[in-house]
Amino acid sequence: MAERFTSVKKVLVTDNASPRCRETLVAAGLEVVQNDKMSKEELMAAVKEYDALIVRSATKVTEEILQSGDRLKIVGRAGTGVDNIDVAAASKKGVAVMNTPTANTVSAAEQTCVLFMTLARHTPAADASMKAGKWDRKKFMGTELYGKTAVIIGLGHIGREVALRLQAFGMKTVGFDALVPAEETKKFGVDQMPLKDLWAVADYISVHVPLLPQTKGMIGKETFAACKPGLRVINCARGGIIDNDALLAALEDGQCGGAALDVFENEPPTGVEQTIVQHPKVIACPHLGASTVEAQLRVAQEIADQIVDASQGKSLKGIINCRQLGL
């Protein structure tokens, strides 16, 4: 089955992917062009000449762009989430979509834990106060993570690593995953419970699921109402999993004691999301989960290796639409 990709010879790399990606592809004998700043129209015109396209999160690979790719056989995502790629349209056209699901696991897990700690100890606000020339210790009284309960929604690679790190702080970790069996998550210290039973025990909720129709807005008005007052929420997964209107209302009435957000439905955020970013109980970051030197080297290396292997008929590793393509 891998033989169908042996005609891949020419690759377009976008979105400031690490030079490691281009170097690996070139070393394997592929022709590579890296163009990091392309408009939609420019990409539509350029993609006609390439067999494979590599993107990070900025470039939106729409049906229109896919249809322009007369030679296109692979779209590679240097990272985990593929919500910037129209996978259904790619499958219909016979284009394989690849990702690197584990390459940024450690960086995303560490960023999540940073946000747990900064929520608990008000670190960004205290730092801003100091830089303004103030010395206000009482204003920034925090709480310990020790003894608190973290509810982790999504117990795949990142959820698992988050749980292990939070356990080192003495937190109790419980959660839910629709795909990972309870006996598996118990091995790394997470007892699974039905969603409806989780909310009442949560001191913190951290989400680690993809943005799908069934996960969009899953942390909403009813969820906040079912939680104890002062709940804190963390989202390093995808914007839209926490309902924005429900979050803002919960922050305003005190039901939510704080939120740390690394991702947004619109990036950069606009409208109600911008209002949330400005809220004094919110810590906001510009999608930094995978923004480490190590993670970017890793995703660049892995997506390049996968495309090289496919072009040499060796492996179909990383293709997420194998079933739709009949592979």
Side-chain angles (χ1 to χ4, degrees):
M1 291 292 188
E3 289 77 13
R4 68 188 292 177
F5 301 109
T6 55
S7 60
V8 170
K9 305 296 181 187
K10 193 172 180 181
V11 185
L12 176 62
V13 180
T14 68
D15 291 348
N16 292 295
S18 167
R20 178 75 61 82
C21 182
R22 183 179 184 279
E23 292 163 6
T24 300
L25 294 166
V26 169
L30 297 175
E31 183 181 347
V32 183
V33 171
Q34 182 148 359
N35 190 331
D36 297 321
K37 293 184 178 180
M38 302 179 75
S39 67
K40 177 183 176 181
E41 292 72 25
E42 288 171 334
L43 180 56
M44 286 177 62
V47 77
K48 299 175 187 295
E49 305 299 322
Y50 294 90
D51 306 306
L53 169 67
I54 293 176
V55 302
R56 289 175 61 204
S57 59
T59 296
K60 310 302 180 189
V61 186
T62 63
E63 181 175 11
E64 199 173 6
I65 287 170
L66 288 161
Q67 289 301 325
S68 297
D70 298 330
R71 294 171 46 178
L72 201 61
K73 296 173 185 65
I74 300 172
V75 174
R77 165 72 163 95
T80 303
V82 293
D83 42 299
N84 59 317
I85 301 169
D86 190 331
V87 179
S91 300
K92 186 177 179 180
K93 188 174 169 56
V95 175
V97 178
M98 289 179 170
N99 71 344
T100 57
T102 63
N104 61 8
T105 294
V106 170
S107 291
E110 288 182 353
Q111 171 73 344
T112 302
C113 293
V114 165
L115 295 180
F116 267 83
M117 289 184 280
T118 53
L119 266 182
R121 301 303 295 267
H122 311 294
T123 311
D127 175 67
S129 177
M130 287 287 289
K131 284 181 168 59
K134 300 176 184 178
W135 182 265
D136 197 343
R137 297 177 68 192
K138 292 182 180 179
K139 183 177 181 180
F140 302 112
M141 181 66 67
T143 57
E144 293 182 347
L145 295 178
Y146 182 83
K148 304 300 191 299
T149 296
V151 167
I152 302 172
I153 307 301
L155 295 165
H157 298 294
I158 296 172
R160 177 184 186 276
E161 295 302 321
V162 168
L164 292 171
R165 286 157 176 76
L166 296 179
Q167 290 160 18
F169 286 104
M171 296 192 81
K172 179 180 179 181
T173 52
V174 295
F176 173 83
D177 194 295
L179 299 176
V180 183
E183 57 269 24
E184 182 63 30
T185 65
K186 192 176 278 289
K187 293 176 185 176
F188 54 86
V190 180
D191 290 322
Q192 288 206 49
M193 300 166 60
L195 282 173
K196 63 181 179 61
D197 297 332
L198 283 170
W199 312 134
V201 304
D203 295 302
Y204 290 80
I205 295 174
S206 186
V207 294
H208 301 282
V209 293
L211 181 62
L212 302 168
Q214 56 267 42
T215 61
K216 184 174 175 62
M218 70 180 298
I219 309 299
K221 182 177 180 180
E222 291 182 1
T223 305
F224 285 112
C227 293
K228 62 182 80 172
L231 163 81
R232 296 173 183 183
V233 295
I234 296 96
N235 187 1
C236 286
R238 281 293 181 268
I241 296 168
I242 301 174
D243 181 87
N244 288 315
D245 292 328
L247 173 58
L248 183 58
L251 288 164
E252 289 293 322
D253 67 19
Q255 186 65 15
C256 181
L261 308 172
D262 191 44
V263 289
F264 303 89
E265 285 192 81
N266 297 295
E267 297 185 352
T270 58
V272 66
E273 287 188 307
Q274 184 57 35
T275 302
I276 290 170
V277 166
Q278 298 298 326
H279 198 283
K281 294 180 185 177
V282 171
I283 297 168
C285 297
H287 203 149
L288 298 179
S291 293
T292 63
V293 171
E294 296 85 352
Q296 289 311 306
L297 281 174
R298 213 176 286 126
V299 297
Q301 184 70 63
E302 288 191 15
I303 197 63
D305 286 342
Q306 289 170 200
I307 287 178
V308 168
D309 285 348
S311 73
Q312 295 176 352
K314 293 179 179 178
S315 169
L316 300 179
K317 182 181 177 182
I319 297 178
I320 66 166
N321 57 341
C322 277
R323 182 177 59 81
Q324 293 93 324
L325 296 176
L327 298 175

